[in-house]
């Protein structure tokens, strides 16, 4: 899993500190974690960047480094790289393909994506066991506003033919709750969330696995509750070293937790 996060800083002597898309003054590190279905995440890559850096700046090379580190750490078999829409670009996807790693990346709601969603057969939407869904034992169904479907799409269609990539476009839709109860609604309005993937899993499993990308948010929270509560130096290089040491400490703590059978304990 790959994500970026804003680390707020104070004072004007911090090298690289700047305002980014969150309008918060800080530094903007990249983070990559490695996890399995039975083990919590460890960190396999960090990179400190200026606060004004875009979320995907340097992402392709960072993903390549994270994959190499994961394999050096003993990861084998099928690996899946999960990211949010900030990393939806050709360079990142091409890096995953070259490395033999499957990808699952939230995609932006561009016109081609919206057009592809509109082509989905209305009868092909499948209700899913959404986190807040209620199971109805009488009907044997999950009562939820969440439904999923998929289609095939060509990603990066504006690039040259050789760089276009055929992907699975998996879409989750939930009812738009922005409705005045007294007025009702003429027809159901939906909000759509889509991601592109080359996963070989069937639809429901692939969609659930993609949502599990949120595991990296727990790592971000753990770090910000500890050493990344601040970046103490005015020197950019020293803060980059601080970030690296933070990751090492997190991993050592995680290893100690596993030895004590605390496989999912937070920091």
């Amino acid at each position: 899993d790959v994500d970026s996060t804003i680390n707020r800083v104070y004072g004007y002597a911090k090298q690289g500190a700047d305002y980014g898309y969150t309008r918060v003054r800080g530094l903007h590190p990249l983070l990559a974690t490695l996890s399995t279905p039975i083990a919590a995440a460890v960190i396999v890559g960090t990179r400190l960047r200026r606060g004004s850096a875009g979320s995907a700046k340097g992402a392709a090379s960072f993903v390549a480094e994270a994959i190499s580190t994961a394999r050096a750490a003993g990861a084998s078999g099928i690996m899946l790289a999960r990211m949010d829409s900030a990393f939806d670009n050709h360079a990142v996807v091409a890096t995953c393909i070259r490395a033999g790693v499957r990808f699952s990346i939230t995609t932006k709601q561009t016109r081609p994506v919206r057009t592809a969603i509109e082509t989905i057969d209305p009868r092909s939407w499948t209700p899913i066991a959404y986190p807040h869904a209620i199971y109805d034992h009488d009907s044997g169904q999950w009562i939820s506003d969440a439904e999923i479907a998929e289609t095939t799409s060509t990603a990066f269609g504006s690039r040259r033919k050789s760089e276009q990539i055929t992907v699975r476009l998996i879409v989750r839709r939930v009812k738009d709750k922005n409705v005045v109860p007294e007025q009702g609604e003429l027809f159901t309005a939906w909000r759509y969330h889509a991601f592109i993937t080359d996963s070989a899993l069937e639809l429901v499993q692939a969609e659930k696995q993609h949502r599990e990308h949120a595991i990296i948010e727990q790592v971000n929270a753990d770090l910000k509750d500890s050493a990344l509560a601040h970046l103490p130096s005015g020197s950019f290089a020293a803060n980059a070293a601080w970030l690296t040491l933070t990751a090492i400490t997190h991993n050592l703590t995680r290893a100690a937790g596993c030895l004590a059978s605390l496989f999912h304990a937070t920091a």
Side-chain angles (χ1 to χ4, degrees), residues 186-229:
L186 215 54
F187 53 86
T188 301
W190 299 93
R191 289 185 291 112
Y192 295 91
H193 309 269
F195 67 95
I196 57 173
T197 185
D198 62 348
S199 169
L201 294 178
E202 57 90 19
L203 173 62
V204 174
Q205 289 180 317
E207 194 277 335
K208 181 177 183 294
Q209 190 176 60
H210 177 75
R211 278 189 280 120
E212 290 169 353
H213 168 65
I215 190 174
I216 197 171
E217 297 296 343
Q218 182 60 61
V219 176
N220 283 334
D222 277 358
L223 299 185
K224 289 185 176 181
D225 277 344
S226 56
L228 287 194

Side-chain angles (χ1 to χ4, degrees), residues 119-140:
T119 66
I120 295 175
D121 187 337
R123 297 168 296 181
S124 66
W125 291 95
T126 303
I128 59 171
Y130 207 50
H132 303 294
I134 300 173
Y135 187 73
D136 183 358
H137 291 278
D138 293 331
S139 64

